[in-house]
């Protein structure tokens, strides 16, 4: 857990962790998080989470306790069930005797340089100079259950990371029904809550609503983080905007079902919490055993929702994503799915790869339909689980195709074409050799029917033998071929399960598989996918540096998807392709340029169309569009995002990314509908240095002050028009 570094007398009040008796302060560059131990009750009481302070604010509380709610006016750090606090608890334990009352009291604390390691779970990381950790130990002496609250401070990023570690020190089992990774009470005020909602093909749309009295919540019960809601909760002042005002963000580093809850008490206090979904936990904690909650990353910004987002982006790029590709530009690719669907074979793939290389594509991806022997994958009804190339489609084996593709020279480059492949290892079709041999490996609940979605069932990754099978089959595939990219898909939710705790056990098994394979194959670029963006979460990003954001490649919809996703996640983590027109999902028609300009506002730009269906003018455009995507990609991979105009607030959404050293920037500006006989609004840029001068694409040079305060006006033409403008500091 790192070397112990207890604070010494004379330490600065603004060190990352300051302990004064039983008062604790966690400080970033611009934030403070403070709480103390109540000497009478041993409870932890919250004092402050917000802008930087050097002592506890003068907030004694004005509501006296009553017989109904003895603790109803206290701001509590780790509220349990029972003992007079009738608000939403952070921890709910069913004890061996059947009662659910807990009473955790402060015992001790430790301060560490660095960060403790919990290898079963994804987590942020950093060296001893980048992160400091405070562990506060609580104990319920009535039931002999211990709770360690583990706080880690990334001062540079104004981020506080917390998780809870529960240990059963009794001689009897207990059941953990609920444990919130983060729970904090904030003072009475007018707040809004922010979430990212959606469904398949319309993922992560920003939803902002007023915090009312009572409980408001959202989450997932699908077994995964899901399309429906993202494991993120935002709280803002009612007057906060994109660029100003208080904004708090809570992002759960977890891929399973979750719950985010906001409760405004009758006294006006607001309690926010996020953690595993309590309806899919019921964790059996045996004597001597420990349950570790997922991490929650909490950030604060006084610079509005945009400032909150940039804190998340920097932290996640530098201290969450482990891939060697996290800071590397991504190769422009062509994916076979919407070109060929299941009609892949040796001839069609080689032909498509030749075309791709001729256009300047650097990576060719063979999507679904390539596998299955006894049960060939000619549609979605068979083959999942049998990860060997279909001999009718690939009579010379997959090796032969990979070898021929990777010998192709890329036009306009000295590089050879790379090869990538699609897999869906967590699933199985009933029509497969795997299911015939191991029907007991799937998720099921006694005699209940095994519900099929997309003609497939979910393998139970809580079983070690299933984990071993997936690791072994993927290792055989990847060791035997020159594959440099893997798209890991996942196309359904969990319906039947043997017990609530198996949901979390599944996720732990999934992380073991991810960790093993990405460690074994560190030079492969892994992309997560789940029917599009059904598992776009920090847990996946620990292992995969990018996630396919949506199966919907319609340019208009993708603008909203990218903007919403960027509330929490850096654009570098977004996978986006140029699809066909009309769109296969929405049936809308948009220009190739518009679709490409939207797709290149992402970390991984690609094509997912048959180039032979394009007219000659469009074919001639593709090499230039690929070249532009490669030019802006390094800025997107490591730069800071500024959302200038939101897609839900007007006809001209726009965003820009500024490189970390400030020397370069790229502006993405869009017009959704044509504006006839009406002025185009002036667009004011952000994130530049006022007294520096910047050269834009047309050769003109302006100061940052002029571009940010005077702005620019772009002459759009027609529906779905766009501009990508590069700026370079002189």
């Amino acid at each position: 857990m790192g070397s112990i570094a207890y604070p010494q007398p004379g330490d600065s009040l603004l060190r990352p962790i300051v302990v004064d008796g039983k008062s604790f302060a966690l400080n970033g560059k611009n934030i403070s998080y403070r709480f103390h131990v109540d000497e009478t009750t041993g409870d932890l009481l919250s004092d402050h989470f917000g802008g930087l302070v050097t002592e506890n604010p003068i907030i004694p509380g004005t509501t006296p306790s009553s017989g109904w709610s003895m603790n109803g006016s206290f701001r509590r750090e780790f509220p349990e069930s029972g003992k007079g606090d009738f608000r939403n608890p952070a921890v709910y334990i069913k004890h061996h005797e059947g009662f659910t009352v807990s009473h955790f009291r402060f015992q001790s604390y430790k301060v560490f340089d660095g960060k403790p390691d919990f290898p079963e779970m994804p987590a942020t990381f950093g060296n001893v100079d980048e992160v400091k950790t405070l562990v506060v130990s609580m104990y319920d002496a009535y039931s002999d259950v211990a709770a360690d609250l583990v706080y880690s401070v990334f001062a540079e990023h104004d981020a506080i990371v917390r998780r809870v570690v529960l240990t059963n020190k009794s001689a009897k089992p207990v059941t953990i029904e609920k444990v919130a990774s983060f729970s904090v009470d904030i003072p009475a005020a007018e707040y809004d809550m922010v979430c990212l909602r959606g469904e398949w093909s319309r993922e992560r749309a920003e939803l902002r609503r007023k915090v009312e009295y009572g409980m408001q919540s959202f989450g997932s019960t699908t077994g995964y983080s899901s399309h429906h809601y993202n494991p993120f909760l935002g709280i803002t002042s009612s007057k906060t905007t994109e660029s100003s005002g208080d904004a708090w963000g809570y992002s759960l580093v977890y891929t399973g079902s979750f719950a985010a809850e906001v409760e405004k008490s009758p006294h006006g206090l607001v309690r926010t919490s996020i953690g595993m979904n309590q309806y899919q936990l019921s964790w059996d904690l045996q004597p001597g055993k420990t349950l570790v909650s997922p991490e929650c990353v909490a950030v604060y910004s006084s610079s509005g929702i945009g400032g909150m987002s940039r804190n998340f982006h920097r932290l996640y790029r530098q201290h969450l994503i482990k891939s060697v590709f996290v800071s590397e530009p991504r190769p422009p690719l062509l994916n076979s799915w919407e070109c060929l669907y299941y009609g892949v074979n040796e001839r069609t793939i080689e032909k498509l790869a030749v075309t791709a290389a001729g256009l300047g594509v650097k990576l060719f991806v063979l999507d679904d339909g390539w596998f299955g022997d006894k049960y060939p994958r000619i549609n979605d009804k068979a083959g999942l689980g049998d990860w060997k190339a279909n001999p009718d489609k690939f009579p010379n084996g997959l090796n032969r195709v990979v070898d021929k593709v990777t010998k192709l020279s890329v036009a306009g480059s000295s590089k050879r074409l790379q090869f990538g492949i699609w897999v869906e290892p967590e699933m199985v079709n009933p029509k497969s050799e795997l299911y015939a041999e191991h029907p007991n490996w799937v998720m099921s609940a006694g005699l209940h029917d095994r519900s099929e979605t997309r003609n497939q069932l979910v393998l139970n990754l809580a079983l070690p033998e299933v984990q071993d099978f997936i690791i072994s089959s993927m290792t055989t595939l990847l060791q035997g071929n020159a594959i440099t990219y893997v798209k890991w898909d996942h196309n359904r939710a969990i319906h039947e399960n043997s017990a609530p705790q198996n949901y979390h056990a599944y996720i732990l098994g999934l992380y073991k598989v991810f960790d093993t394979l990405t460690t074994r194959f560190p030079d492969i670029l892994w992309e997560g996918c789940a029917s599009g963006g059904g598992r776009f979460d920090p847990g996946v990003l620990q292992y995969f540096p990018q996630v396919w954001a949506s199966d919907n490649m319609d340019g208009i919809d993708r603008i909203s998807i990218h903007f919403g996703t960027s509330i929490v996640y850096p654009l570098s983590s977004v996978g986006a392709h140029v699809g066909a027109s009309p769109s296969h999902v929405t049936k809308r028609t948009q220009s190739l340029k518009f679709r490409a300009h939207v797709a290149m506002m992402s970390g991984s730009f690609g094509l997912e169309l048959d180039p032979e269906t394009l007219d000659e003018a469009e074919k001639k455009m593709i090499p230039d569009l690929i070249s532009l995507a490669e030019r802006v990609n390094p800025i997107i991979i490591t730069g800071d995002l500024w959302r200038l105009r939101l897609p839900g607030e007007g006809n001209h959404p726009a965003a820009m990314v500024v490189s970390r050293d400030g020397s370069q920037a790229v502006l993405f500006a869009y017009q959704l509908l044509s504006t006839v006989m009406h002025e185009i609004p002036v667009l004011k840029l952000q994130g530049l240095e006022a007294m520096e001068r910047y050269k834009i694409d047309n050769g003109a040079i302006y100061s940052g002050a002029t571009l940010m305060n005077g702005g620019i006006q772009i002459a759009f033409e027609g529906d779905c028009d766009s501009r990508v403008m590069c700026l370079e500091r002189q």
Side-chain angles (χ1 to χ4, degrees):
M1 294 178 70
S3 58
I4 300 176
Y6 292 101
Q8 301 298 317
D11 280 346
S12 165
L13 292 175
L14 296 180
R15 287 186 64 195
I17 298 177
V18 179
V19 181
D20 181 9
K22 292 183 179 179
S23 182
F24 304 92
L26 313 176
N27 300 307
K29 289 193 306 181
N30 306 289
I31 71 165
S32 293
Y33 186 100
R34 301 177 68 96
F35 58 93
H36 71 275
V37 179
D38 182 86
E39 292 289 356
T40 302
T41 64
D43 197 7
L44 294 183
L45 300 183
S46 302
D47 297 308
H48 177 75
F49 183 23
L52 200 62
V53 298
T54 56
E55 54 266 319
N56 288 339
I58 308 170
I59 307 177
T62 57
T63 305
S65 297
S66 70
W68 280 105
S69 52
M70 295 181 295
N71 296 318
S73 61
F74 294 140
R75 293 169 55 194
R76 306 182 66 210
E77 191 70 8
F78 189 57
E80 70 279 270
S81 178
K83 299 299 182 182
D85 185 349
F86 299 105
R87 294 167 291 173
N88 188 36
V91 60
Y92 187 75
I93 301 174
K94 184 176 181 180
H95 299 281
H96 179 73
E97 296 83 357
F99 59 82
T100 56
V101 175
S102 297
H103 191 192
F104 287 98
R105 298 170 63 95
F106 172 79
Q107 267 201 326
S108 62
Y109 76 90
K110 290 182 284 189
V111 178
F112 296 87
D113 290 330
K115 196 165 179 288
D117 183 27
F118 298 95
E120 285 189 332
M121 301 280 282
T124 51
F125 56 83
N127 63 40
V128 294
D129 297 322
E130 296 169 322
V131 58
K132 311 294 180 183
T133 296
L134 166 70
V135 179
V136 177
S137 296
M138 309 286 287
Y139 197 74
D140 182 350
Y142 298 95
S143 57
D144 292 317
V145 176
D148 283 346
L149 311 185
V150 184
Y151 300 84
S152 295
V153 185
F154 289 89
E156 182 69 20
H157 302 282
D158 288 336
I160 310 294
V161 177
R162 198 186 92 165
R163 71 173 359 133
V164 178
V165 181
L166 296 172
T167 303
N168 183 3
K169 296 191 173 183
S170 74
K172 300 175 181 178
V174 299
T175 302
I176 310 300
E177 299 289 355
K178 176 184 180 180
V179 56
S181 297
F182 211 111
S183 176
V184 62
D185 293 344
I186 54 180
E190 293 300 312
Y191 298 106
D192 291 345
M193 60 184 290
V194 179
C195 71
L196 302 178
R197 64 171 182 84
E199 238 294 5
W200 175 81
S201 80
R202 51 179 178 84
E203 293 90 338
R204 291 172 304 286
E206 180 183 358
L207 173 63
R208 182 169 171 173
R209 49 185 160 148
K210 182 179 179 180
V211 174
E212 301 282 6
Y213 286 95
M215 179 73 79
Q216 297 157 86
S217 65
F218 60 88
S220 171
T221 56
T222 67
Y224 313 100
S225 48
S226 85
H227 296 81
H228 302 155
Y229 295 97
N230 199 260
F232 159 77
L233 168 65
I235 298 292
T236 71
S237 165
S238 60
K239 296 182 179 179
T240 294
T241 67
E242 177 69 23
S243 56
S244 67
D246 295 327
W248 295 263
Y250 306 89
S251 178
L252 190 67
V253 185
Y254 192 57
T255 307
S257 295
F258 73 96
E261 299 168 311
V262 180
E263 182 180 15
K264 187 172 183 178
S265 77
H267 306 111
L269 294 178
V270 173
R271 175 170 292 173
T272 63
S273 66
I274 190 169
M276 294 181 284
N277 193 299
Q278 67 189 77
Y279 298 111
Q280 295 181 350
L281 185 58
S282 292
W283 192 263
D284 181 23
L285 196 61
Q286 292 294 318
K289 297 298 182 180
T290 293
L291 173 65
V292 179
S293 84
E295 274 192 352
C296 174
V297 177
V299 304
Y300 165 81
S301 174
S302 61
S303 300
I305 294 175
M308 177 198 73
S309 296
R310 287 185 288 278
N311 285 346
F312 275 128
H313 298 171
R314 294 166 186 164
L315 179 74
Y316 281 177
R317 283 197 303 257
Q318 298 175 37
H319 298 288
L320 176 71
I321 303 171
K322 289 184 174 180
S323 170
V324 296
F325 295 96
V326 62
S327 299
E328 295 295 321
R330 314 289 161 75
L333 63 84
L334 187 145
N335 182 290
S336 70
W337 178 241
E338 286 198 5
C339 312
L340 301 170
Y341 288 101
Y342 294 103
V344 298
N345 56 51
E346 188 172 305
R347 179 185 58 80
T348 59
I349 289 301
E350 290 175 4
K351 180 182 177 182
L352 188 59
V354 168
T355 301
L359 294 170
V361 167
K362 304 296 192 301
L363 168 63
F364 178 82
V365 180
L366 170 59
D367 208 279
D368 200 352
W370 60 269
F371 51 90
D373 185 356
K374 184 177 180 181
Y375 300 95
R377 184 72 167 176
I378 57 175
N379 50 41
D380 65 10
K381 297 181 180 180
L384 281 176
D386 302 341
W387 299 108
K388 294 180 181 178
N390 177 260
D392 294 329
K393 294 185 176 188
F394 299 96
N396 298 302
L398 190 61
N399 267 332
R400 167 73 177 274
V401 175
V402 175
D403 185 58
K404 292 186 73 171
V405 168
T406 54
K407 286 180 179 178
L408 294 172
S409 296
V410 175
S413 169
S414 60
K415 297 181 178 180
R416 303 284 187 181
L417 190 60
Q418 299 179 57
F419 189 92
I421 200 163
W422 175 97
V423 294
E424 193 176 1
E426 298 164 69
M427 299 291 161
V428 64
N429 286 122
K431 289 185 178 180
S432 67
E433 295 179 64
L434 178 64
Y435 187 77
E437 294 174 11
H438 300 287
N440 57 322
W441 279 9
V442 302
M443 289 288 203
S444 59
L447 298 177
H448 284 277
D449 293 338
R450 298 179 174 190
S451 302
E452 295 181 27
T453 298
R454 203 172 179 255
N455 303 299
Q456 62 194 54
L457 299 168
V458 184
L459 291 172
N460 185 1
L461 268 76
L463 300 175
E465 55 268 35
V466 173
Q467 300 164 23
D468 292 342
F469 168 79
I470 294 174
I471 291 169
S472 176
S473 58
M474 291 299 103
T475 296
T476 299
L477 171 66
L478 298 176
Q479 280 182 339
N481 295 285
I483 293 171
T484 59
Y485 163 101
V486 172
K487 183 173 183 176
W488 185 294
D489 208 347
H490 180 96
N491 279 301
R492 61 157 293 179
I494 295 173
H495 293 183
E496 296 86 25
N497 206 340
S498 57
Q501 71 174 15
N502 201 59
Y503 286 95
H504 182 53
Y506 176 105
I507 297 299
L508 293 178
L510 178 67
Y511 290 147
K512 178 184 175 182
V513 170
F514 282 176
D515 184 62
T516 301
L517 288 174
T518 55
T519 301
R520 188 171 292 175
F521 299 100
D523 296 325
I524 287 178
L525 174 59
W526 298 81
E527 179 173 275
C529 178
S531 289
R535 288 200 311 204
F536 205 126
D537 61 68
V540 169
L541 286 181
Q542 173 94 102
Y543 311 100
F544 299 170
Q546 60 190 54
V547 179
W548 179 232
S550 179
D551 285 340
N552 184 355
M553 286 173 274
D554 178 285
I556 292 176
D557 287 348
R558 269 295 187 133
I559 291 173
S560 295
I561 291 168
H562 290 193
F563 271 71
T565 301
S566 74
I567 296 294
V568 185
Y569 306 101
L571 289 179
S572 60
S573 66
V574 173
H577 298 167
V578 181
S581 186
S583 163
H584 289 196
V585 173
T586 67
K587 312 307 178 186
R588 283 196 290 247
T589 298
Q590 296 144 7
S591 72
L592 178 65
K593 183 192 77 168
F594 178 80
R595 286 174 281 142
H597 284 176
V598 174
M600 65 180 68
M601 192 176 70
S602 69
S604 179
F605 170 85
L607 306 174
E608 194 162 331
L609 49 75
D610 184 354
E612 297 302 325
T613 64
L614 303 176
D615 62 36
E616 288 304 314
E618 290 175 322
K619 286 182 183 178
K620 290 179 181 179
M621 290 175 61
I622 287 182
D624 288 339
L625 291 170
I626 290 175
S627 179
L628 178 60
E630 290 187 290
R631 180 183 176 189
V632 304
N633 191 250
I635 303 173
I636 292 172
I637 291 295
T638 60
D640 287 332
L641 172 69
W642 301 80
R643 293 181 292 265
L644 307 180
R645 289 197 187 125
L646 304 181
E649 296 178 354
N651 191 38
H652 295 93
M656 63 184 294
V657 183
V658 182
S659 65
R660 288 307 307 273
D661 65 3
S663 65
Q664 294 178 298
V666 56
L667 169 67
F668 298 92
Y670 306 99
Q671 174 168 277
L672 304 183
L673 296 175
S674 177
T675 53
V676 180
M677 295 300 292
H678 194 283
E679 280 292 296
I680 303 294
V682 172
L683 180 62
K684 294 182 179 181
L685 308 190
Q686 296 183 43
L688 304 176
E689 298 171 66
M691 292 299 102
E692 296 289 342
R693 298 186 68 78
Y694 297 86
K695 182 179 181 180
I696 60 178
D697 284 343
N698 65 5
I701 298 176
Y702 299 92
S703 71
T706 299
L707 293 170
M708 291 189 293
N709 299 320
I712 63 175
Q713 196 173 38
I714 298 173
F716 293 105
E717 296 181 358
D719 294 348
C720 298
D721 195 13
S722 57
R723 297 290 185 277
V724 175
M725 184 180 296
C726 296
L727 295 83
E728 190 166 339
R729 188 175 62 198
Q730 299 302 292

